[in-house]
Amino acid sequence: MNPGERVWDLGYAAGWRLVRALPEGSARRLFDYAADRAARGGGPDQLRRNLARVLSTTPGQVPDDLVHASLRSYARYWCEAFRLPSMDPVRLAERIESSATGLGNIHEAVERGKGAVLALHHSGNWDMAGVWIAQRVGPPVVVAERLRPESLYRRFVRFRERLGFEIIPLTGATRPPFEQLTAHLRRGRIVGLMAERDVTRTGVPVTFFGEPTRMPAGPARLAIDTGAPLLPVNCWFTPGGWGFHVGTPIDTSGGLQPTTQVMTSRFATGIAAHPADWHMLQRVWTADFEVER
């Protein structure tokens, strides 16, 4: 581990301890302050470009208030992530269940015995969705991108394992992730995948908010190959909690591309309803990658 990676890892470790030790109100104010600082000068350019697609406008016409709200929402996600290990998962599950909709789609999938593929995007607090599943259904299986340094990756793995998740690394495992996920689904398990950012840039071509991009093939391919229902999940924040909606199963009979396009369109509907809670500061659309090249 080089010195820079060591500092990064120790910073996260210190942050986890500090934020858990602070009163909730103090921790939130600390993260709000960081978000307010990040919003100065118009906020991150890529966030503004992404929100412009959601609003069907230009980056310059995206309201500063929306960029500010999005950064505060993102800060809230991290504040909650740092504090989650000290929260009561049973009470969290009760709060989530009191406001979530569409949970019957998950229960129905479990009763059928074929498991389910939950496709999520980076909105609200998606970890809370996993907490509910862990408490009410059983440990969800999720894929974790391998971070650097390795010690930081292990911290994130331990964090999610304490929440009741089962972690499969994206790289470095003895068996490919797709093979492992397929086996879990055939045993009736719930698989959760973040699915609106194609880190490989070799995914399925789709249209997202009217522009071409690529989405990961994994959610649709797993559902097609195993017969497990593909359930899109939208997450957002509410003033005093969290909003979740589990959509109805997507028809996979049309094949990989049509299935992925329907999933993408369902994501767009959820993001458009709560644009401030979509925490996407990275490139998503083909045009942005072409500018980079």
Side-chain angles (χ1 to χ4, degrees), residues 200-281:
T200 67
R201 293 165 62 177
T202 59
V204 181
V206 294
T207 299
F208 189 36
F209 287 104
E211 288 193 35
T213 187
R214 291 178 179 271
M215 292 289 172
R221 175 57 65 196
L222 284 167
I224 292 169
D225 287 1
T226 66
L230 174 58
L231 306 176
V233 181
N234 288 310
C235 311
W236 64 94
F237 286 125
T238 64
W242 309 273
F244 297 96
H245 176 70
V246 182
T248 56
I250 294 173
D251 182 3
T252 62
S253 62
L256 184 63
Q257 196 284 328
T259 300
T260 305
Q261 180 60 69
V262 173
M263 179 191 76
T264 302
S265 298
R266 299 270 195 99
F267 285 172
T269 299
I271 292 168
H274 305 279
D277 290 326
W278 188 40
H279 312 142
M280 185 49 63
L281 280 73

Side-chain angles (χ1 to χ4, degrees), residues 120-131:
L120 303 95
H121 47 85
H122 292 81
S123 290
N125 191 333
W126 51 91
D127 284 329
M128 292 294 186
V131 169

